[in-house]
Amino acid sequence: MDTTQLLLIAGLIALALSNVVTLVLTIYLHRQLRSRPVPKHFDVHVDGTRVFDQQDMAEVQKRADAELEQAVSTAAQQLEASVNRGVQQLSAHVNEAAATSISQEFEKYQANLRALNNQTVQEFANIQHDLDEQRTQLQQQLITEINQERERRLAHFNDRINDVVASYLAEALGNRVDLGSQTAYILASLDQHKDDIKKDILT
Amino acid sequence: MSMVLPADISSPDQLGEVLLELQDVVTAVRSAQARTTQGAIEPPVLSGDLAQLIQRTNVNVGDIAALEALAQDIRRTLDTAPTAHILLSATPTRSMKRTLTTWFRTEIDPQILLSFAARSDLGGGAVIQVGSHLYDFSFRRTILDHKSRLTELAGV
């Protein structure tokens, strides 16, 4: 409970107390009025010299009672109005304070939520970036490994194909080779590389 | 006198045999000249290679000095002549050797000596080794250089 709320509650209590005090004072005064010592009065019967007769006294008493009731009623109405006003004001203050407090808390909540949202978005963006980098690295690694494997297999194939071709030629031709028919081809090949052969001989 | 190698003497081994035979001829001629008093001696029987060499070099068989000079030339040739090694798909005939030797001595060096070998998996053509270089004109190399056409061999 913050200071404003405490003050409001204290004010309400003070208001209620003042009204109670007012009421008690009114009742006390009324009693005081009633309990005031009646001055002795001697019945002086002077015929013809009575100021108020009993009927008039009753009337006066009745009017005094009525006025007193009126005064008490008015005081009570005023008290009731004052209490109502106080309650209304207190209620308004409490509502305003609650609204303000709730509004502030809600804004804080929204701000925290926005911050959390932004942080989450940033984290996801970072994760996505890391994933993309890793995927790129893995792809590169895979391509490199595939190329290496392909080269290895090609080299192995080349090694084997050399043997296969040599075996095929040896088996297919056997001893049926005619060197005479190859002479022109061999001499033509030698002519093509004559200069290189001469360079190798002289060095 | 410069020795003129005939085409039939192609390899260092052949030339070495000719040298040995020439040395025997020199010894025989010397002995014959020492025994005879009439000056002329019966010419020794020479092998075809030595006879060709002596004829092409214009050496008198009865001239020991010329024969010894020729022997010296042969030794020098064996020591200094360039060599090439030729690998064929089959053992070459004498005619084939003569043809190749003629080409090398005409186009490359007149004193070059050749050695021949055979390897059946070449398929055809030749592999020439000169110094540290290898010139592969074999059918096997041609097939391997065109692997995409390998299926033509199988008729596919």
Side-chain angles (χ1 to χ4, degrees), chain A residues 25-62:
Chain A
L25 191 61
T26 305
I27 294 172
Y28 174 71
L29 288 175
H30 178 65
R31 282 191 184 162
Q32 283 286 80
L33 190 64
R34 281 188 176 273
S35 65
R36 188 173 294 173
V38 177
K40 287 184 181 173
H41 59 114
F42 296 94
D43 288 331
V44 182
H45 296 281
V46 183
D47 292 335
T49 59
R50 284 190 189 165
V51 180
F52 297 110
D53 57 6
Q54 283 191 355
Q55 203 174 358
D56 290 339
M57 283 300 287
E59 185 65 24
V60 167
Q61 187 67 36
K62 185 179 169 185

Short mmCIF file of all heavy atoms in Angstrom, two decimals, chain A residues 25-62:
data_model
loop_
_atom_site.label_atom_id
_atom_site.label_comp_id
_atom_site.label_asym_id
_atom_site.label_seq_id
_atom_site.Cartn_x
_atom_site.Cartn_y
_atom_site.Cartn_z
N LEU A 25 -21.53 15.05 20.00
CA LEU A 25 -21.65 16.40 20.59
C LEU A 25 -23.09 16.89 20.55
O LEU A 25 -23.60 17.49 21.53
CB LEU A 25 -20.72 17.35 19.80
CG LEU A 25 -20.52 18.73 20.43
CD1 LEU A 25 -19.89 18.59 21.80
CD2 LEU A 25 -19.67 19.60 19.54
N THR A 26 -23.74 16.62 19.43
CA THR A 26 -25.13 17.03 19.28
C THR A 26 -26.01 16.34 20.33
O THR A 26 -26.84 16.98 21.01
CB THR A 26 -25.64 16.70 17.88
OG1 THR A 26 -24.80 17.30 16.91
CG2 THR A 26 -27.06 17.20 17.68
N ILE A 27 -25.77 15.04 20.42
CA ILE A 27 -26.56 14.29 21.40
C ILE A 27 -26.26 14.79 22.81
O ILE A 27 -27.16 14.96 23.66
CB ILE A 27 -26.27 12.79 21.28
CG1 ILE A 27 -26.77 12.27 19.90
CG2 ILE A 27 -26.93 12.00 22.41
CD1 ILE A 27 -26.39 10.88 19.59
N TYR A 28 -25.00 15.04 23.05
CA TYR A 28 -24.60 15.53 24.37
C TYR A 28 -25.25 16.88 24.70
O TYR A 28 -25.77 17.10 25.80
CB TYR A 28 -23.08 15.63 24.41
CG TYR A 28 -22.54 16.26 25.65
CD1 TYR A 28 -22.58 15.59 26.88
CD2 TYR A 28 -22.03 17.60 25.63
CE1 TYR A 28 -22.12 16.18 28.03
CE2 TYR A 28 -21.56 18.18 26.79
CZ TYR A 28 -21.60 17.49 27.98
OH TYR A 28 -21.15 18.09 29.15
N LEU A 29 -25.21 17.74 23.70
CA LEU A 29 -25.82 19.06 23.91
C LEU A 29 -27.33 18.94 24.13
O LEU A 29 -27.92 19.67 24.95
CB LEU A 29 -25.52 19.96 22.70
CG LEU A 29 -24.06 20.43 22.59
CD1 LEU A 29 -23.84 21.20 21.30
CD2 LEU A 29 -23.68 21.29 23.80
N HIS A 30 -27.90 18.03 23.40
CA HIS A 30 -29.34 17.80 23.56
C HIS A 30 -29.62 17.35 24.97
O HIS A 30 -30.58 17.78 25.63
CB HIS A 30 -29.81 16.76 22.53
CG HIS A 30 -31.26 16.44 22.65
ND1 HIS A 30 -32.27 17.37 22.41
CD2 HIS A 30 -31.89 15.31 23.04
CE1 HIS A 30 -33.44 16.83 22.61
NE2 HIS A 30 -33.27 15.58 23.02
N ARG A 31 -28.82 16.47 25.43
CA ARG A 31 -28.99 15.96 26.79
C ARG A 31 -28.72 17.07 27.79
O ARG A 31 -29.41 17.18 28.84
CB ARG A 31 -28.04 14.80 27.03
CG ARG A 31 -28.54 13.53 26.41
CD ARG A 31 -27.74 12.38 26.88
NE ARG A 31 -28.15 11.18 26.20
CZ ARG A 31 -27.42 10.10 26.16
NH1 ARG A 31 -26.25 10.08 26.72
NH2 ARG A 31 -27.88 9.06 25.53
N GLN A 32 -27.71 17.80 27.47
CA GLN A 32 -27.40 18.92 28.34
C GLN A 32 -28.60 19.88 28.43
O GLN A 32 -28.95 20.39 29.52
CB GLN A 32 -26.20 19.71 27.79
CG GLN A 32 -24.86 19.04 28.04
CD GLN A 32 -24.42 19.14 29.47
OE1 GLN A 32 -24.86 18.38 30.33
NE2 GLN A 32 -23.61 20.13 29.79
N LEU A 33 -29.17 20.06 27.28
CA LEU A 33 -30.35 20.92 27.25
C LEU A 33 -31.46 20.33 28.09
O LEU A 33 -32.13 21.04 28.86
CB LEU A 33 -30.80 21.09 25.78
CG LEU A 33 -31.88 22.13 25.53
CD1 LEU A 33 -31.37 23.51 25.88
CD2 LEU A 33 -32.33 22.10 24.08
N ARG A 34 -31.63 19.09 27.98
CA ARG A 34 -32.68 18.42 28.73
C ARG A 34 -32.35 18.37 30.21
O ARG A 34 -33.25 18.52 31.08
CB ARG A 34 -32.89 17.01 28.22
CG ARG A 34 -33.69 16.94 26.96
CD ARG A 34 -34.00 15.49 26.64
NE ARG A 34 -34.85 15.41 25.50
CZ ARG A 34 -36.19 15.47 25.53
NH1 ARG A 34 -36.83 15.59 26.65
NH2 ARG A 34 -36.91 15.40 24.41
N SER A 35 -31.09 18.16 30.50
CA SER A 35 -30.71 17.98 31.92
C SER A 35 -30.36 19.29 32.62
O SER A 35 -29.92 19.31 33.76
CB SER A 35 -29.54 17.00 32.01
OG SER A 35 -28.42 17.58 31.40
N ARG A 36 -30.58 20.40 31.92
CA ARG A 36 -30.28 21.68 32.57
C ARG A 36 -31.20 21.82 33.76
O ARG A 36 -32.39 21.52 33.67
CB ARG A 36 -30.51 22.78 31.56
CG ARG A 36 -30.05 24.14 32.04
CD ARG A 36 -30.14 25.17 30.96
NE ARG A 36 -29.27 24.90 29.93
CZ ARG A 36 -29.28 25.61 28.80
NH1 ARG A 36 -30.16 26.57 28.59
NH2 ARG A 36 -28.43 25.33 27.87
N PRO A 37 -30.67 22.22 34.87
CA PRO A 37 -31.54 22.36 36.04
C PRO A 37 -32.64 23.40 35.76
O PRO A 37 -32.40 24.47 35.21
CB PRO A 37 -30.59 22.84 37.13
CG PRO A 37 -29.40 23.35 36.44
CD PRO A 37 -29.31 22.68 35.15
N VAL A 38 -33.78 22.89 36.15
CA VAL A 38 -34.93 23.78 35.94
C VAL A 38 -34.95 24.78 37.10
O VAL A 38 -34.90 24.38 38.28
CB VAL A 38 -36.23 22.95 35.90
CG1 VAL A 38 -37.42 23.83 35.76
CG2 VAL A 38 -36.13 21.91 34.79
N PRO A 39 -34.90 25.96 36.74
CA PRO A 39 -34.96 26.93 37.84
C PRO A 39 -36.27 26.76 38.60
O PRO A 39 -37.31 26.41 38.04
CB PRO A 39 -34.87 28.26 37.15
CG PRO A 39 -35.19 28.04 35.72
CD PRO A 39 -34.95 26.63 35.44
N LYS A 40 -36.13 26.99 39.92
CA LYS A 40 -37.33 26.88 40.74
C LYS A 40 -38.26 27.99 40.38
O LYS A 40 -37.88 29.14 40.20
CB LYS A 40 -36.93 27.00 42.21
CG LYS A 40 -36.22 25.79 42.74
CD LYS A 40 -35.95 25.93 44.22
CE LYS A 40 -35.22 24.73 44.74
NZ LYS A 40 -34.82 24.91 46.12
N HIS A 41 -39.32 27.61 40.27
CA HIS A 41 -40.31 28.66 40.04
C HIS A 41 -41.44 28.45 41.06
O HIS A 41 -41.80 27.34 41.42
CB HIS A 41 -40.82 28.65 38.61
CG HIS A 41 -41.45 27.37 38.21
ND1 HIS A 41 -42.66 27.17 37.92
CD2 HIS A 41 -41.08 26.20 38.07
CE1 HIS A 41 -43.01 25.97 37.63
NE2 HIS A 41 -42.04 25.33 37.77
N PHE A 42 -41.76 29.53 41.53
CA PHE A 42 -42.83 29.51 42.54
C PHE A 42 -44.11 29.80 41.83
O PHE A 42 -44.22 30.68 41.01
CB PHE A 42 -42.54 30.56 43.61
CG PHE A 42 -41.29 30.23 44.34
CD1 PHE A 42 -40.05 30.79 43.96
CD2 PHE A 42 -41.30 29.37 45.44
CE1 PHE A 42 -38.90 30.48 44.67
CE2 PHE A 42 -40.15 29.09 46.13
CZ PHE A 42 -38.94 29.65 45.74
N ASP A 43 -44.91 28.93 42.21
CA ASP A 43 -46.20 29.18 41.58
C ASP A 43 -46.80 30.40 42.22
O ASP A 43 -47.08 30.42 43.40
CB ASP A 43 -47.12 27.98 41.77
CG ASP A 43 -46.69 26.83 40.93
OD1 ASP A 43 -46.08 27.05 39.84
OD2 ASP A 43 -46.92 25.67 41.33
N VAL A 44 -46.84 31.36 41.52
CA VAL A 44 -47.51 32.53 41.99
C VAL A 44 -48.82 32.60 41.26
O VAL A 44 -48.89 32.79 40.06
CB VAL A 44 -46.67 33.80 41.72
CG1 VAL A 44 -47.40 35.01 42.27
CG2 VAL A 44 -45.30 33.68 42.36
N HIS A 45 -49.60 32.29 42.13
CA HIS A 45 -50.93 32.29 41.51
C HIS A 45 -51.50 33.66 41.61
O HIS A 45 -52.01 34.05 42.64
CB HIS A 45 -51.81 31.23 42.17
CG HIS A 45 -51.30 29.87 41.97
ND1 HIS A 45 -51.46 29.19 40.82
CD2 HIS A 45 -50.60 29.08 42.81
CE1 HIS A 45 -50.91 28.00 40.92
NE2 HIS A 45 -50.35 27.91 42.19
N VAL A 46 -51.34 34.28 40.76
CA VAL A 46 -51.97 35.57 40.70
C VAL A 46 -52.96 35.49 39.56
O VAL A 46 -52.60 35.34 38.42
CB VAL A 46 -50.93 36.69 40.43
CG1 VAL A 46 -51.62 38.04 40.43
CG2 VAL A 46 -49.82 36.65 41.48
N ASP A 47 -53.90 35.45 40.07
CA ASP A 47 -54.92 35.33 39.04
C ASP A 47 -54.88 36.51 38.11
O ASP A 47 -54.73 37.66 38.50
CB ASP A 47 -56.31 35.29 39.69
CG ASP A 47 -56.50 34.03 40.49
OD1 ASP A 47 -55.82 33.02 40.17
OD2 ASP A 47 -57.28 34.06 41.40
N GLY A 48 -54.89 36.10 36.97
CA GLY A 48 -54.89 37.16 35.96
C GLY A 48 -53.49 37.60 35.59
O GLY A 48 -53.35 38.38 34.66
N THR A 49 -52.45 37.08 36.30
CA THR A 49 -51.07 37.52 35.99
C THR A 49 -50.23 36.40 35.47
O THR A 49 -49.04 36.53 35.37
CB THR A 49 -50.39 38.08 37.25
OG1 THR A 49 -50.36 37.07 38.25
CG2 THR A 49 -51.07 39.30 37.74
N ARG A 50 -50.78 35.18 35.16
CA ARG A 50 -49.99 34.08 34.54
C ARG A 50 -49.57 34.50 33.17
O ARG A 50 -50.38 35.03 32.38
CB ARG A 50 -50.86 32.82 34.44
CG ARG A 50 -51.01 32.12 35.76
CD ARG A 50 -51.66 30.82 35.53
NE ARG A 50 -51.99 30.29 36.83
CZ ARG A 50 -52.83 29.28 37.00
NH1 ARG A 50 -53.42 28.77 35.95
NH2 ARG A 50 -53.04 28.82 38.21
N VAL A 51 -48.20 34.22 32.92
CA VAL A 51 -47.71 34.57 31.58
C VAL A 51 -48.10 33.50 30.58
O VAL A 51 -48.60 33.79 29.49
CB VAL A 51 -46.16 34.74 31.61
CG1 VAL A 51 -45.63 35.10 30.24
CG2 VAL A 51 -45.79 35.80 32.65
N PHE A 52 -47.58 32.26 30.90
CA PHE A 52 -47.96 31.13 30.00
C PHE A 52 -48.77 30.15 30.78
O PHE A 52 -48.38 29.75 31.87
CB PHE A 52 -46.73 30.41 29.48
CG PHE A 52 -45.84 31.24 28.63
CD1 PHE A 52 -44.59 31.63 29.11
CD2 PHE A 52 -46.29 31.70 27.42
CE1 PHE A 52 -43.82 32.43 28.32
CE2 PHE A 52 -45.50 32.51 26.65
CZ PHE A 52 -44.24 32.87 27.10
N ASP A 53 -49.79 29.76 30.17
CA ASP A 53 -50.56 28.71 30.82
C ASP A 53 -50.04 27.34 30.40
O ASP A 53 -49.13 27.24 29.59
CB ASP A 53 -52.07 28.85 30.49
CG ASP A 53 -52.32 28.81 29.00
OD1 ASP A 53 -51.33 28.57 28.24
OD2 ASP A 53 -53.46 29.00 28.60
N GLN A 54 -50.56 26.32 30.87
CA GLN A 54 -50.05 24.96 30.58
C GLN A 54 -50.15 24.61 29.11
O GLN A 54 -49.27 23.98 28.55
CB GLN A 54 -50.83 23.93 31.44
CG GLN A 54 -50.34 23.90 32.88
CD GLN A 54 -50.91 22.71 33.64
OE1 GLN A 54 -51.73 21.97 33.12
NE2 GLN A 54 -50.48 22.57 34.89
N GLN A 55 -51.11 25.09 28.47
CA GLN A 55 -51.30 24.78 27.08
C GLN A 55 -50.19 25.42 26.27
O GLN A 55 -49.62 24.82 25.38
CB GLN A 55 -52.67 25.31 26.62
CG GLN A 55 -53.18 24.57 25.39
CD GLN A 55 -54.60 25.02 25.06
OE1 GLN A 55 -55.22 25.85 25.80
NE2 GLN A 55 -55.18 24.50 24.04
N ASP A 56 -49.91 26.67 26.62
CA ASP A 56 -48.85 27.38 25.92
C ASP A 56 -47.52 26.74 26.22
O ASP A 56 -46.65 26.64 25.34
CB ASP A 56 -48.83 28.86 26.37
CG ASP A 56 -50.06 29.60 25.84
OD1 ASP A 56 -50.65 29.12 24.85
OD2 ASP A 56 -50.38 30.67 26.42
N MET A 57 -47.33 26.35 27.43
CA MET A 57 -46.08 25.69 27.80
C MET A 57 -45.91 24.41 26.99
O MET A 57 -44.84 24.12 26.47
CB MET A 57 -46.07 25.36 29.29
CG MET A 57 -45.79 26.55 30.17
SD MET A 57 -44.22 27.36 29.86
CE MET A 57 -43.16 26.15 30.56
N ALA A 58 -46.99 23.66 26.84
CA ALA A 58 -46.93 22.41 26.04
C ALA A 58 -46.58 22.73 24.60
O ALA A 58 -45.78 22.03 23.94
CB ALA A 58 -48.27 21.69 26.15
N GLU A 59 -47.21 23.82 24.13
CA GLU A 59 -46.96 24.20 22.75
C GLU A 59 -45.50 24.57 22.56
O GLU A 59 -44.84 24.19 21.58
CB GLU A 59 -47.89 25.39 22.40
CG GLU A 59 -47.80 25.80 20.93
CD GLU A 59 -48.28 24.76 19.95
OE1 GLU A 59 -49.08 23.91 20.31
OE2 GLU A 59 -47.76 24.76 18.79
N VAL A 60 -45.02 25.38 23.50
CA VAL A 60 -43.61 25.79 23.41
C VAL A 60 -42.69 24.58 23.46
O VAL A 60 -41.71 24.44 22.71
CB VAL A 60 -43.27 26.78 24.54
CG1 VAL A 60 -41.77 26.97 24.67
CG2 VAL A 60 -43.95 28.11 24.29
N GLN A 61 -43.06 23.70 24.41
CA GLN A 61 -42.26 22.47 24.52
C GLN A 61 -42.29 21.69 23.23
O GLN A 61 -41.25 21.21 22.76
CB GLN A 61 -42.81 21.61 25.66
CG GLN A 61 -41.95 20.36 25.99
CD GLN A 61 -40.61 20.69 26.55
OE1 GLN A 61 -40.47 21.67 27.32
NE2 GLN A 61 -39.60 19.95 26.16
N LYS A 62 -43.43 21.61 22.63
CA LYS A 62 -43.60 20.85 21.41
C LYS A 62 -42.77 21.47 20.31
O LYS A 62 -42.09 20.78 19.54
CB LYS A 62 -45.09 20.83 21.06
CG LYS A 62 -45.42 19.97 19.86
CD LYS A 62 -46.92 20.01 19.61
CE LYS A 62 -47.30 19.42 18.31
NZ LYS A 62 -48.75 19.58 18.04
#
